[in-house]
Amino acid sequence: MSDIAVAEAGLFDRALKRVALLWRDMASSVSSPAEDASWESRMRACLEARGGEISARARAAGLAQSYTTLDEAGRMAFFQALAGFDSDPAAVEAAMREVSAAPDTAARAAAKAKLRRTLEPPRLRLLTQLTTIPDGVKFLVDLRADLLRGMGRDPMLQALDADLRGLLASWFDLGFLELRRIDWQSPAALLEKLVGYEAVHRIRTWRDLKNRLDSDRRCYAYFHPRMPEEPLIFVEVALVQGLSGSVQKLLDEKAPVQDPRAADTAIFYSINNCQRGLDGISFGNFLIKRVVALLSEELPKLKTFSTLSPIPAFRRWLEEALIEPEPKLLTEEENKLLTEASGLADGHAALRALLANRRPLSESWCAKAEPVLTRLCARYLVLETNRGGRRARDPVGHFHLSNGARVERVCWRGDISEKGIRESLGFMVNYLYDPAKIEDYHEAYVGEGTRAAPTALRKLARSGP
């Protein structure tokens, strides 16, 4: 394990131990069911709030401290017990009858209000109690991350997740969030977390991290006031001249530092959601638009705002298409070209060999395959849909198109790392954010499924069989 990974692991271990000790000390100040008591009895003690709110908070701290010691099976048992604190079916039925029997508008409004209160499950009150303990909001975010990993198709656990997600969505409303810039002068603990949460292009060394935070780079993150040391989502930006088509060149530590005031293009090359427990609560679209506005104000010469994005499912789509008896991926000319270049039976066999890595990728083979693969990648990005038939098949593409971007350029050998080759045969894509057209592109994609793209790229995508 590298020094940077060891430091990051040590940071999280220390933070967890510190908070767990604090919870234990709080719990010891009140009488509670024994630690070997059932989860149901311990949760009921929290809900009954004997001794007042301070005592209830202390019991909630004890519950949280115990949870952190559980293995996976123990955590599932905890969730099952928590999900059991549901609405009272008999009370719900009685409240519904009152709504139906209401004689006038005023009585019906009162009956509906009572029904809403009756429908609210007691577990919501317990979850809210947990936010009152130190680092309680972070605990609930992590709690939901554990729940998502293990709930499967259990309807009671899915209902618990719906409750938890609803609470978190209200607490993490955009109006409560703070956008902050992260640079090399930021606290070391925050920089270590940046390393740990980077999932698009792994940060390998401290020098790599420093390069990403240099004067010709920007990094912005959203934070919540109850989690001030925990980024929720962050974006890394390079300030350059012209569109960038290679992430290796963009992250080259030996490249000279550029004057950001001379840059005409901002490249968003990595966007990372940091908290799995906030899945389904979107910040990314707001983050990009806010950063575009901030950079435009700081650096007036910036005219182009673009991503350099991965295409994580391109290779899988190609593999699935090639399983078909008659794939219909290649034109006659392309089939002939790849057949001659590979020496195999036909062009589709050549593509299968390429995907299976059974043949060396010679320079001549790559040169001949490039236009074919580029067209297939353009088709995938511009035309291919999910099973519903409206949204883009590629998840990253769907994210950016939903935010109002357009598919601007396919980048051959954009990411030649092992991960880039494994996921997308090395392709990346530039999505362009035009501040004057973001809303139009967003409405066209969300409303009609129309993907904005230059005429040349759209023509390329449609030029196959």
Side-chain angles (χ1 to χ4, degrees):
M1 183 181 291
S2 67
D3 291 342
I4 200 167
V6 170
E8 178 255 322
L11 170 75
F12 285 104
D13 288 343
R14 291 193 302 273
L16 180 60
K17 289 177 181 177
R18 175 184 60 80
V19 175
L21 287 173
L22 183 58
W23 291 341
R24 186 188 65 186
D25 292 343
M26 287 182 63
S28 66
S29 66
V30 296
S31 59
S32 301
E35 288 195 6
D36 59 354
S38 69
W39 288 119
E40 287 82 356
S41 62
R42 297 184 66 183
M43 291 174 184
R44 189 170 293 108
C46 291
L47 287 169
E48 289 172 353
R50 294 190 304 272
E53 288 301 318
I54 293 178
S55 297
R57 185 183 306 176
R59 293 188 185 97
L63 204 64
Q65 193 275 331
S66 296
Y67 177 84
T68 62
T69 67
L70 299 174
D71 59 15
E72 184 176 350
R75 294 184 177 191
M76 286 300 105
F78 178 95
F79 290 134
Q80 291 286 356
L82 183 56
F85 286 86
D86 202 357
S87 308
D88 183 343
V92 170
E93 288 185 12
M96 292 175 65
R97 286 195 296 270
E98 288 187 32
V99 172
S100 299
D104 52 43
T105 302
R108 189 173 297 107
K112 287 180 179 178
K114 181 180 178 180
L115 175 60
R116 284 193 291 270
R117 291 193 300 271
T118 306
L119 284 169
E120 185 173 288
R123 59 180 175 247
L124 275 176
R125 190 152 47 91
L126 181 54
L127 291 171
T128 304
Q129 277 185 4
L130 288 166
T131 67
T132 65
I133 65 177
D135 283 354
V137 173
K138 172 61 173 168
F139 173 74
L140 279 190
V141 171
D142 292 342
L143 190 80
R144 182 169 182 251
D146 292 341
L147 177 60
L148 289 173
R149 280 190 289 268
M151 70 180 184
R153 296 182 178 275
D154 186 313
M156 289 300 293
L157 294 187
Q158 289 179 338
L160 173 60
D161 175 60
D163 289 342
L164 191 46
R165 177 182 171 181
L167 285 176
L168 292 172
S170 63
W171 295 333
F172 285 83
D173 182 84
L174 186 67
F176 299 139
L177 305 186
E178 177 190 3
L179 184 66
R180 285 167 23 202
R181 180 180 170 186
I182 301 174
D183 59 26
W184 189 242
Q185 305 305 317
S186 297
L190 178 55
L191 297 183
E192 288 178 348
K193 288 177 180 176
L194 203 67
V195 172
Y197 289 133
E198 170 59 74
V200 181
H201 303 295
R202 180 184 170 193
I203 300 173
R204 301 181 181 277
T205 65
W206 292 113
R207 182 177 176 180
D208 183 8
L209 176 61
K210 189 175 188 301
N211 180 54
R212 299 189 193 203
L213 300 175
D214 219 323
S215 60
D216 60 348
R217 299 287 189 266
R218 295 291 185 273
C219 180
Y220 294 94
Y222 269 132
F223 293 83
H224 190 276
R226 293 290 299 277
M227 293 170 53
E229 300 175 356
E230 282 284 345
L232 308 180
I233 185 174
F234 66 89
V235 60
E236 297 172 72
V237 188
L239 304 173
V240 297
Q241 293 280 345
L243 286 180
S244 296
S246 166
V247 73
Q248 275 73 38
K249 292 180 180 178
L250 202 65
L251 295 179
D252 183 2
E253 298 169 19
K254 297 179 181 178
V257 176
Q258 304 297 313
D259 181 357
R261 295 168 299 180
D264 61 13
T265 303
I267 299 291
F268 299 79
Y269 64 89
S270 184
I271 302 174
N272 293 271
N273 286 295
C274 307
Q275 311 295 329
R276 173 74 200 282
L278 297 178
D279 279 7
I281 302 171
S282 178
F283 311 114
N285 54 344
F286 300 108
L287 176 63
I288 291 175
K289 292 172 185 176
R290 280 287 307 278
V291 171
V292 167
L294 283 175
L295 291 175
S296 297
E297 183 177 348
E298 179 192 356
L299 302 167
K301 288 187 177 181
L302 288 177
K303 302 303 179 186
T304 303
F305 299 90
S306 173
T307 75
L308 181 58
S309 297
I311 314 174
F314 173 54
R315 183 178 188 136
R316 184 167 68 248
W317 168 76
L318 200 53
E319 289 172 338
E320 292 173 357
L322 286 167
I323 292 174
E324 299 294 326
E326 299 181 9
K328 297 181 180 178
L329 291 175
L330 304 175
T331 64
E332 290 185 12
E333 183 179 347
E334 290 171 339
N335 184 53
K336 181 180 179 181
L337 182 71
L338 295 185
T339 301
E340 293 176 352
S342 66
L344 293 174
D346 60 37
H348 291 113
L351 288 177
R352 293 188 188 98
L354 169 66
L355 295 174
N357 285 325
R358 292 197 301 266
R359 297 181 66 85
L361 300 181
S362 65
E363 289 188 13
S364 61
W365 162 232
C366 285
K368 292 179 179 178
E370 174 187 354
V372 179
L373 292 173
T374 299
R375 180 188 64 76
L376 290 171
C377 189
R379 167 181 163 178
Y380 172 72
L381 293 169
V382 176
L383 301 179
E384 292 297 319
T385 62
N386 67 343
R387 291 179 181 177
R390 288 181 62 85
R391 58 182 283 180
R393 180 157 179 159
D394 189 75
V396 175
H398 172 68
F399 170 79
H400 287 296
L401 291 165
S402 296
N403 292 345
R406 80 175 189 181
V407 189
E408 184 66 12
R409 185 178 69 165
V410 175
C411 304
W412 166 252
R413 295 180 66 79
D415 182 3
I416 55 174
S417 68
E418 180 182 349
K419 179 174 180 280
I421 297 296
R422 182 178 68 249
E423 293 183 347
S424 63
L425 300 177
F427 278 99
M428 297 192 80
V429 54
N430 294 126
Y431 292 102
L432 187 72
Y433 280 85
D434 182 345
K437 296 183 178 179
I438 283 178
E439 293 306 322
D440 291 341
Y441 291 159
H442 163 78
E443 292 296 335
Y445 179 71
V446 173
E448 303 172 8
T450 302
R451 297 174 221 180
T455 302
L457 186 61
R458 190 175 299 281
K459 183 177 180 181
L460 177 65
R462 296 182 182 279
S463 62

